[in-house]
Amino acid sequence: MNRILVTNGKGFFETVYHCNDPTDNEIQVNNVMTGVCRSDIDMMMGKFGPLPLHMQGHEGLGQVVKIGKNVQDVVPGDYVATRGEPAYADTYNVRSTEYVKVPEAHPRYILEPVACGINVVTQPLREIAERSGPGKRLLILGSGFLAWVAYHTVLLNHLDFEITVIGNSNKDLWGDKLSNIYHGKFDVVIDLSSHPDVFTEDILNNEALIVMGTQKEIHTNFSNLLWKACTIVFPSPRTDKFYKAMQDAEYWITNGDINVDMFWTKSYYRDTAWQQAFNDGHIRPLGYSRGYIYWNKNGN
């Protein structure tokens, strides 16, 4: 029986998922690990959706068991990070541009959330680069997982900015790079926070770029942004550019350019602890950063 974890907006439950043989341009994987995303928790709590059964779970890492006749980049036995759904199923199919081959089954290669942080910078890369140069300033609002990845993506793309990071979490990790006070104004703001400061604080230069990298509810008349001729962009994993972000994530992690190991703080065995995985993702106990569910009892 091929099981899947699914929500209807009132908690997660287990049901059966039918998986056909892969099409010519698909692969089929047995699940190894899947990250518990904040959006999954929001969907569980009824804040949006729920998504259809075949779209639940998207931070996947699996082992290839079947390939379509047009697939040439992987063979059965390879490990792949997937961004395609449903990554909460025991076995599922993945389209050709929704997986990236990885060297091993390790949580650092749950690439989808890493690619989200990369995509925050690379999808609007042209607009960010236009505002870089001597004396230019970039602000990252937030100091969590996505902010850490976005910060290193700015550095790895050799963008010339004085970078300020404002946040309250992961102080030991950020060290003296982290601040809690605004000083001056900025040419680019990457907003990964839950607060409305980018709209309420006087922190924007004329023609500044705002990269909205997280969902939030705000109330503003946009007068300040209109007066200063600011631009807002909304990077999303639902674009063709996201596949390149997945590839960059694998390359940079394998080369040691980005280290995300410290963020995967909790693992849960699929057969016995999946309920706890979603509970902890909701209440976020002390020391919790990101959690994942693993399928192989001997391989977490």
PDB file of all heavy atoms in Angstrom, residues 6-12 36-51 56 58 88 194 213-217 277-284 288:
ATOM      1  N   VAL A   6      -1.775  13.758   4.511  1.00  0.00           N
ATOM      2  CA  VAL A   6      -2.563  14.780   3.841  1.00  0.00           C
ATOM      3  C   VAL A   6      -3.357  15.560   4.882  1.00  0.00           C
ATOM      4  O   VAL A   6      -3.678  15.046   5.952  1.00  0.00           O
ATOM      5  CB  VAL A   6      -3.500  14.125   2.794  1.00  0.00           C
ATOM      6  CG1 VAL A   6      -4.488  13.182   3.447  1.00  0.00           C
ATOM      7  CG2 VAL A   6      -4.209  15.164   1.950  1.00  0.00           C
ATOM      8  N   THR A   7      -3.648  16.812   4.573  1.00  0.00           N
ATOM      9  CA  THR A   7      -4.484  17.624   5.449  1.00  0.00           C
ATOM     10  C   THR A   7      -5.697  18.151   4.703  1.00  0.00           C
ATOM     11  O   THR A   7      -5.642  18.414   3.500  1.00  0.00           O
ATOM     12  CB  THR A   7      -3.699  18.804   6.048  1.00  0.00           C
ATOM     13  OG1 THR A   7      -4.525  19.514   6.969  1.00  0.00           O
ATOM     14  CG2 THR A   7      -3.213  19.766   4.965  1.00  0.00           C
ATOM     15  N   ASN A   8      -6.788  18.303   5.436  1.00  0.00           N
ATOM     16  CA  ASN A   8      -7.985  18.955   4.914  1.00  0.00           C
ATOM     17  C   ASN A   8      -8.220  20.300   5.603  1.00  0.00           C
ATOM     18  O   ASN A   8      -9.302  20.864   5.539  1.00  0.00           O
ATOM     19  CB  ASN A   8      -9.205  18.049   5.088  1.00  0.00           C
ATOM     20  CG  ASN A   8      -9.439  17.676   6.551  1.00  0.00           C
ATOM     21  OD1 ASN A   8      -8.742  18.166   7.451  1.00  0.00           O
ATOM     22  ND2 ASN A   8     -10.412  16.799   6.796  1.00  0.00           N
ATOM     23  N   GLY A   9      -7.174  20.790   6.278  1.00  0.00           N
ATOM     24  CA  GLY A   9      -7.295  22.036   7.021  1.00  0.00           C
ATOM     25  C   GLY A   9      -7.628  21.845   8.480  1.00  0.00           C
ATOM     26  O   GLY A   9      -7.756  22.813   9.230  1.00  0.00           O
ATOM     27  N   LYS A  10      -7.734  20.575   8.895  1.00  0.00           N
ATOM     28  CA  LYS A  10      -8.053  20.266  10.297  1.00  0.00           C
ATOM     29  C   LYS A  10      -7.114  19.177  10.793  1.00  0.00           C
ATOM     30  O   LYS A  10      -7.550  18.119  11.249  1.00  0.00           O
ATOM     31  CB  LYS A  10      -9.507  19.835  10.432  1.00  0.00           C
ATOM     32  CG  LYS A  10     -10.512  20.903  10.006  1.00  0.00           C
ATOM     33  CD  LYS A  10     -11.945  20.398  10.116  1.00  0.00           C
ATOM     34  CE  LYS A  10     -12.931  21.480   9.682  1.00  0.00           C
ATOM     35  NZ  LYS A  10     -14.342  20.993   9.751  1.00  0.00           N
ATOM     36  N   GLY A  11      -5.811  19.430  10.685  1.00  0.00           N
ATOM     37  CA  GLY A  11      -4.824  18.434  11.066  1.00  0.00           C
ATOM     38  C   GLY A  11      -4.451  17.538   9.903  1.00  0.00           C
ATOM     39  O   GLY A  11      -5.086  17.559   8.840  1.00  0.00           O
ATOM     40  N   PHE A  12      -3.386  16.751  10.079  1.00  0.00           N
ATOM     41  CA  PHE A  12      -2.951  15.789   9.067  1.00  0.00           C
ATOM     42  C   PHE A  12      -3.485  14.403   9.395  1.00  0.00           C
ATOM     43  O   PHE A  12      -3.687  14.055  10.563  1.00  0.00           O
ATOM     44  CB  PHE A  12      -1.420  15.743   8.989  1.00  0.00           C
ATOM     45  CG  PHE A  12      -0.830  16.686   7.975  1.00  0.00           C
ATOM     46  CD1 PHE A  12      -0.595  18.016   8.298  1.00  0.00           C
ATOM     47  CD2 PHE A  12      -0.534  16.256   6.694  1.00  0.00           C
ATOM     48  CE1 PHE A  12      -0.050  18.889   7.379  1.00  0.00           C
ATOM     49  CE2 PHE A  12       0.008  17.114   5.763  1.00  0.00           C
ATOM     50  CZ  PHE A  12       0.248  18.436   6.104  1.00  0.00           C
ATOM     51  N   VAL A  36       9.246  19.384   6.733  1.00  0.00           N
ATOM     52  CA  VAL A  36       7.950  19.916   7.158  1.00  0.00           C
ATOM     53  C   VAL A  36       8.014  21.433   6.999  1.00  0.00           C
ATOM     54  O   VAL A  36       8.695  22.116   7.769  1.00  0.00           O
ATOM     55  CB  VAL A  36       7.635  19.525   8.610  1.00  0.00           C
ATOM     56  CG1 VAL A  36       6.317  20.158   9.058  1.00  0.00           C
ATOM     57  CG2 VAL A  36       7.574  18.007   8.751  1.00  0.00           C
ATOM     58  N   CYS A  37       7.328  21.942   6.000  1.00  0.00           N
ATOM     59  CA  CYS A  37       7.384  23.356   5.662  1.00  0.00           C
ATOM     60  C   CYS A  37       6.362  24.141   6.484  1.00  0.00           C
ATOM     61  O   CYS A  37       5.299  23.618   6.855  1.00  0.00           O
ATOM     62  CB  CYS A  37       7.103  23.532   4.175  1.00  0.00           C
ATOM     63  SG  CYS A  37       7.126  25.247   3.620  1.00  0.00           S
ATOM     64  N   ARG A  38       6.677  25.411   6.719  1.00  0.00           N
ATOM     65  CA  ARG A  38       5.743  26.275   7.438  1.00  0.00           C
ATOM     66  C   ARG A  38       4.418  26.389   6.690  1.00  0.00           C
ATOM     67  O   ARG A  38       3.352  26.483   7.307  1.00  0.00           O
ATOM     68  CB  ARG A  38       6.361  27.662   7.612  1.00  0.00           C
ATOM     69  CG  ARG A  38       5.511  28.626   8.425  1.00  0.00           C
ATOM     70  CD  ARG A  38       5.446  28.210   9.888  1.00  0.00           C
ATOM     71  NE  ARG A  38       4.118  28.403  10.438  1.00  0.00           N
ATOM     72  CZ  ARG A  38       3.782  28.120  11.696  1.00  0.00           C
ATOM     73  NH1 ARG A  38       4.669  27.620  12.510  1.00  0.00           N
ATOM     74  NH2 ARG A  38       2.566  28.319  12.133  1.00  0.00           N
ATOM     75  N   SER A  39       4.463  26.361   5.360  1.00  0.00           N
ATOM     76  CA  SER A  39       3.221  26.438   4.593  1.00  0.00           C
ATOM     77  C   SER A  39       2.358  25.198   4.818  1.00  0.00           C
ATOM     78  O   SER A  39       1.121  25.287   4.801  1.00  0.00           O
ATOM     79  CB  SER A  39       3.521  26.623   3.100  1.00  0.00           C
ATOM     80  OG  SER A  39       4.198  25.495   2.573  1.00  0.00           O
ATOM     81  N   ASP A  40       2.977  24.030   5.045  1.00  0.00           N
ATOM     82  CA  ASP A  40       2.205  22.831   5.374  1.00  0.00           C
ATOM     83  C   ASP A  40       1.469  23.014   6.698  1.00  0.00           C
ATOM     84  O   ASP A  40       0.316  22.602   6.849  1.00  0.00           O
ATOM     85  CB  ASP A  40       3.129  21.609   5.484  1.00  0.00           C
ATOM     86  CG  ASP A  40       3.849  21.293   4.192  1.00  0.00           C
ATOM     87  OD1 ASP A  40       3.296  21.575   3.115  1.00  0.00           O
ATOM     88  OD2 ASP A  40       4.982  20.778   4.260  1.00  0.00           O
ATOM     89  N   ILE A  41       2.145  23.629   7.668  1.00  0.00           N
ATOM     90  CA  ILE A  41       1.529  23.870   8.966  1.00  0.00           C
ATOM     91  C   ILE A  41       0.381  24.864   8.826  1.00  0.00           C
ATOM     92  O   ILE A  41      -0.703  24.676   9.405  1.00  0.00           O
ATOM     93  CB  ILE A  41       2.572  24.381   9.980  1.00  0.00           C
ATOM     94  CG1 ILE A  41       3.713  23.365  10.135  1.00  0.00           C
ATOM     95  CG2 ILE A  41       1.913  24.671  11.321  1.00  0.00           C
ATOM     96  CD1 ILE A  41       3.293  21.994  10.599  1.00  0.00           C
ATOM     97  N   ASP A  42       0.582  25.927   8.054  1.00  0.00           N
ATOM     98  CA  ASP A  42      -0.488  26.896   7.841  1.00  0.00           C
ATOM     99  C   ASP A  42      -1.691  26.245   7.173  1.00  0.00           C
ATOM    100  O   ASP A  42      -2.842  26.529   7.532  1.00  0.00           O
ATOM    101  CB  ASP A  42       0.013  28.056   6.978  1.00  0.00           C
ATOM    102  CG  ASP A  42       0.949  28.988   7.733  1.00  0.00           C
ATOM    103  OD1 ASP A  42       0.978  28.926   8.974  1.00  0.00           O
ATOM    104  OD2 ASP A  42       1.657  29.780   7.079  1.00  0.00           O
ATOM    105  N   MET A  43      -1.443  25.362   6.210  1.00  0.00           N
ATOM    106  CA  MET A  43      -2.529  24.655   5.556  1.00  0.00           C
ATOM    107  C   MET A  43      -3.233  23.724   6.540  1.00  0.00           C
ATOM    108  O   MET A  43      -4.466  23.612   6.550  1.00  0.00           O
ATOM    109  CB  MET A  43      -1.982  23.873   4.352  1.00  0.00           C
ATOM    110  CG  MET A  43      -3.059  23.198   3.520  1.00  0.00           C
ATOM    111  SD  MET A  43      -2.429  22.624   1.911  1.00  0.00           S
ATOM    112  CE  MET A  43      -1.111  21.512   2.410  1.00  0.00           C
ATOM    113  N   MET A  44      -2.463  23.059   7.401  1.00  0.00           N
ATOM    114  CA  MET A  44      -3.024  22.187   8.429  1.00  0.00           C
ATOM    115  C   MET A  44      -3.944  22.959   9.371  1.00  0.00           C
ATOM    116  O   MET A  44      -4.966  22.435   9.845  1.00  0.00           O
ATOM    117  CB  MET A  44      -1.888  21.535   9.218  1.00  0.00           C
ATOM    118  CG  MET A  44      -2.314  20.666  10.378  1.00  0.00           C
ATOM    119  SD  MET A  44      -0.902  20.013  11.332  1.00  0.00           S
ATOM    120  CE  MET A  44      -0.503  21.468  12.344  1.00  0.00           C
ATOM    121  N   MET A  45      -3.579  24.214   9.644  1.00  0.00           N
ATOM    122  CA  MET A  45      -4.361  25.046  10.561  1.00  0.00           C
ATOM    123  C   MET A  45      -5.516  25.779   9.861  1.00  0.00           C
ATOM    124  O   MET A  45      -6.201  26.593  10.478  1.00  0.00           O
ATOM    125  CB  MET A  45      -3.438  26.058  11.242  1.00  0.00           C
ATOM    126  CG  MET A  45      -2.297  25.433  12.028  1.00  0.00           C
ATOM    127  SD  MET A  45      -2.864  24.255  13.287  1.00  0.00           S
ATOM    128  CE  MET A  45      -3.756  25.373  14.375  1.00  0.00           C
ATOM    129  N   GLY A  46      -5.699  25.506   8.571  1.00  0.00           N
ATOM    130  CA  GLY A  46      -6.821  26.092   7.861  1.00  0.00           C
ATOM    131  C   GLY A  46      -6.617  27.516   7.399  1.00  0.00           C
ATOM    132  O   GLY A  46      -7.574  28.213   7.053  1.00  0.00           O
ATOM    133  N   LYS A  47      -5.350  27.981   7.348  1.00  0.00           N
ATOM    134  CA  LYS A  47      -5.084  29.360   6.952  1.00  0.00           C
ATOM    135  C   LYS A  47      -5.148  29.555   5.438  1.00  0.00           C
ATOM    136  O   LYS A  47      -5.277  30.684   4.966  1.00  0.00           O
ATOM    137  CB  LYS A  47      -3.728  29.803   7.487  1.00  0.00           C
ATOM    138  CG  LYS A  47      -3.681  29.889   9.013  1.00  0.00           C
ATOM    139  CD  LYS A  47      -2.347  30.416   9.502  1.00  0.00           C
ATOM    140  CE  LYS A  47      -2.329  30.535  11.015  1.00  0.00           C
ATOM    141  NZ  LYS A  47      -1.030  31.061  11.525  1.00  0.00           N
ATOM    142  N   PHE A  48      -5.028  28.473   4.663  1.00  0.00           N
ATOM    143  CA  PHE A  48      -5.268  28.536   3.226  1.00  0.00           C
ATOM    144  C   PHE A  48      -5.514  27.118   2.725  1.00  0.00           C
ATOM    145  O   PHE A  48      -5.292  26.143   3.432  1.00  0.00           O
ATOM    146  CB  PHE A  48      -4.082  29.168   2.483  1.00  0.00           C
ATOM    147  CG  PHE A  48      -2.890  28.259   2.331  1.00  0.00           C
ATOM    148  CD1 PHE A  48      -2.709  27.504   1.183  1.00  0.00           C
ATOM    149  CD2 PHE A  48      -1.947  28.168   3.342  1.00  0.00           C
ATOM    150  CE1 PHE A  48      -1.607  26.672   1.049  1.00  0.00           C
ATOM    151  CE2 PHE A  48      -0.837  27.345   3.215  1.00  0.00           C
ATOM    152  CZ  PHE A  48      -0.671  26.591   2.068  1.00  0.00           C
ATOM    153  N   GLY A  49      -5.988  27.026   1.476  1.00  0.00           N
ATOM    154  CA  GLY A  49      -6.221  25.707   0.875  1.00  0.00           C
ATOM    155  C   GLY A  49      -7.434  25.016   1.459  1.00  0.00           C
ATOM    156  O   GLY A  49      -8.425  25.647   1.783  1.00  0.00           O
ATOM    157  N   PRO A  50      -7.353  23.676   1.614  1.00  0.00           N
ATOM    158  CA  PRO A  50      -6.165  22.849   1.383  1.00  0.00           C
ATOM    159  C   PRO A  50      -5.916  22.567  -0.096  1.00  0.00           C
ATOM    160  O   PRO A  50      -6.834  22.622  -0.903  1.00  0.00           O
ATOM    161  CB  PRO A  50      -6.499  21.552   2.131  1.00  0.00           C
ATOM    162  CG  PRO A  50      -7.994  21.458   2.039  1.00  0.00           C
ATOM    163  CD  PRO A  50      -8.498  22.886   2.111  1.00  0.00           C
ATOM    164  N   LEU A  51      -4.657  22.261  -0.406  1.00  0.00           N
ATOM    165  CA  LEU A  51      -4.299  21.885  -1.758  1.00  0.00           C
ATOM    166  C   LEU A  51      -4.825  20.496  -2.071  1.00  0.00           C
ATOM    167  O   LEU A  51      -5.102  19.698  -1.166  1.00  0.00           O
ATOM    168  CB  LEU A  51      -2.777  21.902  -1.917  1.00  0.00           C
ATOM    169  CG  LEU A  51      -2.100  23.270  -1.790  1.00  0.00           C
ATOM    170  CD1 LEU A  51      -0.583  23.106  -1.794  1.00  0.00           C
ATOM    171  CD2 LEU A  51      -2.534  24.201  -2.906  1.00  0.00           C
ATOM    172  N   GLN A  56       0.441  17.782  -1.986  1.00  0.00           N
ATOM    173  CA  GLN A  56       0.769  17.960  -0.577  1.00  0.00           C
ATOM    174  C   GLN A  56       2.142  17.369  -0.254  1.00  0.00           C
ATOM    175  O   GLN A  56       2.393  16.193  -0.484  1.00  0.00           O
ATOM    176  CB  GLN A  56      -0.332  17.343   0.291  1.00  0.00           C
ATOM    177  CG  GLN A  56      -1.669  18.033   0.061  1.00  0.00           C
ATOM    178  CD  GLN A  56      -2.565  18.022   1.269  1.00  0.00           C
ATOM    179  OE1 GLN A  56      -2.157  17.753   2.384  1.00  0.00           O
ATOM    180  NE2 GLN A  56      -3.831  18.342   1.044  1.00  0.00           N
ATOM    181  N   HIS A  58       6.263  19.113  -0.393  1.00  0.00           N
ATOM    182  CA  HIS A  58       7.061  19.574  -1.533  1.00  0.00           C
ATOM    183  C   HIS A  58       8.556  19.661  -1.231  1.00  0.00           C
ATOM    184  O   HIS A  58       9.336  19.939  -2.137  1.00  0.00           O
ATOM    185  CB  HIS A  58       6.566  20.945  -2.012  1.00  0.00           C
ATOM    186  CG  HIS A  58       6.512  21.984  -0.943  1.00  0.00           C
ATOM    187  ND1 HIS A  58       5.412  22.139  -0.134  1.00  0.00           N
ATOM    188  CD2 HIS A  58       7.414  22.904  -0.535  1.00  0.00           C
ATOM    189  CE1 HIS A  58       5.636  23.112   0.728  1.00  0.00           C
ATOM    190  NE2 HIS A  58       6.850  23.590   0.506  1.00  0.00           N
ATOM    191  N   TYR A  88       4.768  13.881   0.477  1.00  0.00           N
ATOM    192  CA  TYR A  88       4.373  13.177   1.699  1.00  0.00           C
ATOM    193  C   TYR A  88       3.895  11.758   1.407  1.00  0.00           C
ATOM    194  O   TYR A  88       3.413  11.068   2.305  1.00  0.00           O
ATOM    195  CB  TYR A  88       3.279  13.943   2.451  1.00  0.00           C
ATOM    196  CG  TYR A  88       3.801  15.128   3.239  1.00  0.00           C
ATOM    197  CD1 TYR A  88       3.129  16.349   3.224  1.00  0.00           C
ATOM    198  CD2 TYR A  88       4.969  15.036   4.001  1.00  0.00           C
ATOM    199  CE1 TYR A  88       3.604  17.433   3.943  1.00  0.00           C
ATOM    200  CE2 TYR A  88       5.447  16.122   4.714  1.00  0.00           C
ATOM    201  CZ  TYR A  88       4.754  17.312   4.680  1.00  0.00           C
ATOM    202  OH  TYR A  88       5.234  18.385   5.397  1.00  0.00           O
ATOM    203  N   SER A 194       7.972  39.007   9.488  1.00  0.00           N
ATOM    204  CA  SER A 194       6.518  39.016   9.659  1.00  0.00           C
ATOM    205  C   SER A 194       5.978  40.402   9.981  1.00  0.00           C
ATOM    206  O   SER A 194       4.771  40.587  10.072  1.00  0.00           O
ATOM    207  CB  SER A 194       6.131  38.043  10.786  1.00  0.00           C
ATOM    208  OG  SER A 194       6.747  38.433  12.012  1.00  0.00           O
ATOM    209  N   GLY A 213       9.790  38.343   0.222  1.00  0.00           N
ATOM    210  CA  GLY A 213      10.100  36.919   0.192  1.00  0.00           C
ATOM    211  C   GLY A 213       9.269  36.071   1.117  1.00  0.00           C
ATOM    212  O   GLY A 213       9.527  34.874   1.250  1.00  0.00           O
ATOM    213  N   THR A 214       8.282  36.658   1.762  1.00  0.00           N
ATOM    214  CA  THR A 214       7.434  35.886   2.674  1.00  0.00           C
ATOM    215  C   THR A 214       6.034  36.451   2.651  1.00  0.00           C
ATOM    216  O   THR A 214       5.823  37.629   2.322  1.00  0.00           O
ATOM    217  CB  THR A 214       8.004  35.920   4.109  1.00  0.00           C
ATOM    218  OG1 THR A 214       7.288  35.009   4.938  1.00  0.00           O
ATOM    219  CG2 THR A 214       7.892  37.314   4.702  1.00  0.00           C
ATOM    220  N   GLN A 215       5.079  35.612   2.999  1.00  0.00           N
ATOM    221  CA  GLN A 215       3.684  36.028   3.015  1.00  0.00           C
ATOM    222  C   GLN A 215       3.385  36.791   4.296  1.00  0.00           C
ATOM    223  O   GLN A 215       3.823  36.428   5.385  1.00  0.00           O
ATOM    224  CB  GLN A 215       2.780  34.796   2.929  1.00  0.00           C
ATOM    225  CG  GLN A 215       1.292  35.102   2.927  1.00  0.00           C
ATOM    226  CD  GLN A 215       0.468  33.849   2.781  1.00  0.00           C
ATOM    227  OE1 GLN A 215       0.832  32.926   2.062  1.00  0.00           O
ATOM    228  NE2 GLN A 215      -0.647  33.788   3.475  1.00  0.00           N
ATOM    229  N   LYS A 216       2.646  37.890   4.177  1.00  0.00           N
ATOM    230  CA  LYS A 216       2.242  38.645   5.355  1.00  0.00           C
ATOM    231  C   LYS A 216       1.001  39.465   5.017  1.00  0.00           C
ATOM    232  O   LYS A 216       0.717  39.729   3.844  1.00  0.00           O
ATOM    233  CB  LYS A 216       3.363  39.552   5.845  1.00  0.00           C
ATOM    234  CG  LYS A 216       3.688  40.718   4.934  1.00  0.00           C
ATOM    235  CD  LYS A 216       4.722  41.642   5.552  1.00  0.00           C
ATOM    236  CE  LYS A 216       6.097  41.027   5.510  1.00  0.00           C
ATOM    237  NZ  LYS A 216       7.108  41.853   6.168  1.00  0.00           N
ATOM    238  N   GLU A 217       0.301  39.862   6.049  1.00  0.00           N
ATOM    239  CA  GLU A 217      -0.854  40.742   5.878  1.00  0.00           C
ATOM    240  C   GLU A 217      -0.456  42.129   6.357  1.00  0.00           C
ATOM    241  O   GLU A 217      -0.017  42.312   7.490  1.00  0.00           O
ATOM    242  CB  GLU A 217      -2.040  40.228   6.693  1.00  0.00           C
ATOM    243  CG  GLU A 217      -3.314  41.035   6.504  1.00  0.00           C
ATOM    244  CD  GLU A 217      -4.501  40.435   7.220  1.00  0.00           C
ATOM    245  OE1 GLU A 217      -4.512  39.195   7.391  1.00  0.00           O
ATOM    246  OE2 GLU A 217      -5.405  41.200   7.614  1.00  0.00           O
ATOM    247  N   ALA A 277       5.822  15.278  14.196  1.00  0.00           N
ATOM    248  CA  ALA A 277       6.498  16.187  13.268  1.00  0.00           C
ATOM    249  C   ALA A 277       5.646  17.416  12.985  1.00  0.00           C
ATOM    250  O   ALA A 277       6.152  18.555  12.993  1.00  0.00           O
ATOM    251  CB  ALA A 277       6.823  15.454  11.965  1.00  0.00           C
ATOM    252  N   PHE A 278       4.374  17.212  12.747  1.00  0.00           N
ATOM    253  CA  PHE A 278       3.488  18.347  12.457  1.00  0.00           C
ATOM    254  C   PHE A 278       3.160  19.133  13.722  1.00  0.00           C
ATOM    255  O   PHE A 278       3.043  20.363  13.683  1.00  0.00           O
ATOM    256  CB  PHE A 278       2.220  17.864  11.765  1.00  0.00           C
ATOM    257  CG  PHE A 278       2.474  17.273  10.408  1.00  0.00           C
ATOM    258  CD1 PHE A 278       2.261  15.925  10.175  1.00  0.00           C
ATOM    259  CD2 PHE A 278       2.944  18.061   9.376  1.00  0.00           C
ATOM    260  CE1 PHE A 278       2.506  15.372   8.929  1.00  0.00           C
ATOM    261  CE2 PHE A 278       3.193  17.523   8.117  1.00  0.00           C
ATOM    262  CZ  PHE A 278       2.972  16.173   7.895  1.00  0.00           C
ATOM    263  N   ASN A 279       3.060  18.451  14.844  1.00  0.00           N
ATOM    264  CA  ASN A 279       2.805  19.141  16.108  1.00  0.00           C
ATOM    265  C   ASN A 279       3.973  20.075  16.459  1.00  0.00           C
ATOM    266  O   ASN A 279       3.781  21.240  16.814  1.00  0.00           O
ATOM    267  CB  ASN A 279       2.584  18.129  17.223  1.00  0.00           C
ATOM    268  CG  ASN A 279       2.221  18.798  18.539  1.00  0.00           C
ATOM    269  OD1 ASN A 279       1.218  19.489  18.647  1.00  0.00           O
ATOM    270  ND2 ASN A 279       3.043  18.581  19.558  1.00  0.00           N
ATOM    271  N   ASP A 280       5.201  19.542  16.332  1.00  0.00           N
ATOM    272  CA  ASP A 280       6.371  20.375  16.632  1.00  0.00           C
ATOM    273  C   ASP A 280       6.523  21.509  15.628  1.00  0.00           C
ATOM    274  O   ASP A 280       6.958  22.615  15.975  1.00  0.00           O
ATOM    275  CB  ASP A 280       7.639  19.523  16.644  1.00  0.00           C
ATOM    276  CG  ASP A 280       7.769  18.658  17.892  1.00  0.00           C
ATOM    277  OD1 ASP A 280       6.904  18.766  18.788  1.00  0.00           O
ATOM    278  OD2 ASP A 280       8.726  17.861  17.958  1.00  0.00           O
ATOM    279  N   GLY A 281       6.185  21.237  14.361  1.00  0.00           N
ATOM    280  CA  GLY A 281       6.241  22.297  13.365  1.00  0.00           C
ATOM    281  C   GLY A 281       5.286  23.432  13.688  1.00  0.00           C
ATOM    282  O   GLY A 281       5.530  24.587  13.319  1.00  0.00           O
ATOM    283  N   HIS A 282       4.207  23.096  14.400  1.00  0.00           N
ATOM    284  CA  HIS A 282       3.226  24.111  14.785  1.00  0.00           C
ATOM    285  C   HIS A 282       3.645  24.863  16.045  1.00  0.00           C
ATOM    286  O   HIS A 282       3.691  26.099  16.061  1.00  0.00           O
ATOM    287  CB  HIS A 282       1.860  23.450  14.994  1.00  0.00           C
ATOM    288  CG  HIS A 282       0.821  24.379  15.536  1.00  0.00           C
ATOM    289  ND1 HIS A 282       0.560  25.614  15.001  1.00  0.00           N
ATOM    290  CD2 HIS A 282      -0.032  24.234  16.589  1.00  0.00           C
ATOM    291  CE1 HIS A 282      -0.401  26.209  15.688  1.00  0.00           C
ATOM    292  NE2 HIS A 282      -0.764  25.395  16.663  1.00  0.00           N
ATOM    293  N   ILE A 283       4.002  24.137  17.100  1.00  0.00           N
ATOM    294  CA  ILE A 283       4.304  24.801  18.380  1.00  0.00           C
ATOM    295  C   ILE A 283       5.749  25.260  18.479  1.00  0.00           C
ATOM    296  O   ILE A 283       6.081  26.097  19.302  1.00  0.00           O
ATOM    297  CB  ILE A 283       3.960  23.890  19.572  1.00  0.00           C
ATOM    298  CG1 ILE A 283       4.860  22.645  19.587  1.00  0.00           C
ATOM    299  CG2 ILE A 283       2.497  23.498  19.546  1.00  0.00           C
ATOM    300  CD1 ILE A 283       4.691  21.796  20.838  1.00  0.00           C
ATOM    301  N   ARG A 284       6.634  24.692  17.645  1.00  0.00           N
ATOM    302  CA  ARG A 284       8.050  25.069  17.588  1.00  0.00           C
ATOM    303  C   ARG A 284       8.682  25.075  18.980  1.00  0.00           C
ATOM    304  O   ARG A 284       8.947  26.139  19.553  1.00  0.00           O
ATOM    305  CB  ARG A 284       8.227  26.423  16.896  1.00  0.00           C
ATOM    306  CG  ARG A 284       7.661  26.453  15.487  1.00  0.00           C
ATOM    307  CD  ARG A 284       7.966  27.749  14.775  1.00  0.00           C
ATOM    308  NE  ARG A 284       9.389  27.876  14.514  1.00  0.00           N
ATOM    309  CZ  ARG A 284      10.029  27.302  13.501  1.00  0.00           C
ATOM    310  NH1 ARG A 284       9.371  26.528  12.643  1.00  0.00           N
ATOM    311  NH2 ARG A 284      11.326  27.476  13.334  1.00  0.00           N
ATOM    312  N   TYR A 288      13.965  24.216  18.300  1.00  0.00           N
ATOM    313  CA  TYR A 288      13.481  23.730  17.004  1.00  0.00           C
ATOM    314  C   TYR A 288      13.711  24.795  15.932  1.00  0.00           C
ATOM    315  O   TYR A 288      13.388  25.962  16.125  1.00  0.00           O
ATOM    316  CB  TYR A 288      11.996  23.404  17.095  1.00  0.00           C
ATOM    317  CG  TYR A 288      11.368  22.883  15.818  1.00  0.00           C
ATOM    318  CD1 TYR A 288      11.228  21.513  15.603  1.00  0.00           C
ATOM    319  CD2 TYR A 288      10.899  23.748  14.837  1.00  0.00           C
ATOM    320  CE1 TYR A 288      10.633  21.032  14.447  1.00  0.00           C
ATOM    321  CE2 TYR A 288      10.315  23.276  13.681  1.00  0.00           C
ATOM    322  CZ  TYR A 288      10.189  21.914  13.490  1.00  0.00           C
ATOM    323  OH  TYR A 288       9.596  21.439  12.340  1.00  0.00           O
TER     324      TYR A 288
END
